[in-house]
Amino acid sequence: LKSGETMVMFSTCACCAPTYLVAVTVIAALCISGFGKVLKHTFPTAKLGIKIYKYISMVANILILLVAVAYGVLSSNENARRFVFSKIIEAGAVYPSPMDTLRCANIQNLHGRVLEIGPGPGTNFRCWQNNTSITEWVGVEPNPYFQQRQVVESEARNISFPVSTVWLKGEHVDIEPESFDHVVGTHVLCSVDDVRMVLKQVH
Ligand SMILES: C[S@@+](CC[C@H](N)C(=O)[O-])C[C@H]1O[C@@H](n2cnc3c(N)ncnc32)[C@H](O)[C@@H]1O
């Protein structure tokens, strides 16, 4: 393995971040409130300590409630979920990342017509700043909240070829056989509903 490849294995898929956030918050809140109970039981005379822990435990419970409400809203409302997800991905995509070396090493020399599955905010445009061999780029992206950011990103990276996006899931897009020279997908298969179907379309 090259060092970049090792990094891929250990990096967390961004799509799992909300689940981890909920899990970590709940576990932390339970630990804090549980510790307060142990403290009370073990040191019944430590009044100040117990009082402080009462407040901490109250804050922890409020936190659980807020996370539960946010989780409920996001899991029942796809629009809200897409909006929040786009903001999280966009925030992460602003900065250069160690992952850029790996992603650009694999895709910077593409040519002809390029189809990208799940481009999000256009993170991969950074790899094509000096590419004059690509003749057209088409993105297949189900989240329309990335629209504005893709335009900003392609302009910021001086992309010289025409770019357009089909706002659909990779599973549903109808691609004419042999119509693209390359298909790109980075950090995407972890978030699609049906990996087999997307790969079938690509094939
Ligand atoms: C973690 S982001 C990666 C964005 C970008 N490719 C990158 O490397 O930074 C995953 C992207 O896949 C998109 N996506 C999710 N489900 C998809 C599907 N079924 N078909 C195509 N794209 C999908 C998401 O909307 C999001 O833009």
Side-chain angles (χ1 to χ4, degrees), residues 35-202:
F35 188 67
K37 284 193 173 63
V38 172
L39 186 77
K40 197 173 170 184
H41 187 74
T42 320
F43 305 102
T45 53
K47 297 270 186 258
L48 182 64
I50 291 167
K51 206 170 178 182
I52 291 172
Y53 258 99
K54 248 187 187 162
Y55 285 115
I56 292 178
S57 160
M58 192 176 74
V59 171
N61 286 332
I62 291 173
L63 205 62
I64 289 182
L65 195 70
L66 288 178
V67 170
V69 169
Y71 194 73
V73 170
L74 292 182
S75 54
S76 62
N77 185 330
E78 187 172 29
N79 216 26
R81 203 164 52 240
R82 283 182 165 173
F83 176 77
V84 171
F85 184 68
S86 73
K87 293 300 156 208
I88 294 172
I89 298 296
E90 282 178 13
V94 171
Y95 306 103
S97 125
M99 192 63 93
D100 290 352
T101 316
L102 184 65
R103 65 167 80 227
C104 291
N106 279 290
I107 64 170
Q108 66 189 354
N109 293 324
L110 303 189
H111 66 273
R113 298 190 77 216
V114 173
L115 179 77
E116 179 163 355
I117 309 285
T123 320
N124 287 330
F125 287 148
R126 67 188 60 181
C127 305
W128 296 319
Q129 295 197 81
N130 303 315
N131 185 309
T132 50
S133 309
I134 295 177
T135 53
E136 186 184 358
W137 175 93
V138 178
V140 177
E141 170 59 60
N143 189 339
Y145 287 107
F146 284 121
Q147 192 162 10
Q148 200 182 353
R149 191 52 188 275
Q150 280 186 8
V151 174
V152 170
E153 194 61 21
S154 70
E155 285 173 3
R157 305 290 175 179
N158 289 323
I159 295 301
S160 57
F161 43 84
V163 301
S164 60
T165 300
V166 180
W167 299 99
L168 282 176
K169 289 188 175 190
E171 293 90 327
H172 302 154
V173 76
D174 196 13
I175 306 161
E176 207 179 302
E178 310 288 328
S179 54
F180 285 90
D181 299 289
H182 301 277
V183 181
V184 173
T186 54
H187 274 191
V188 164
L189 294 181
C190 55
S191 55
V192 305
D193 299 331
D194 187 341
V195 176
R196 278 174 190 277
M197 190 59 186
V198 171
L199 291 178
K200 202 172 157 200
Q201 295 280 37
V202 169

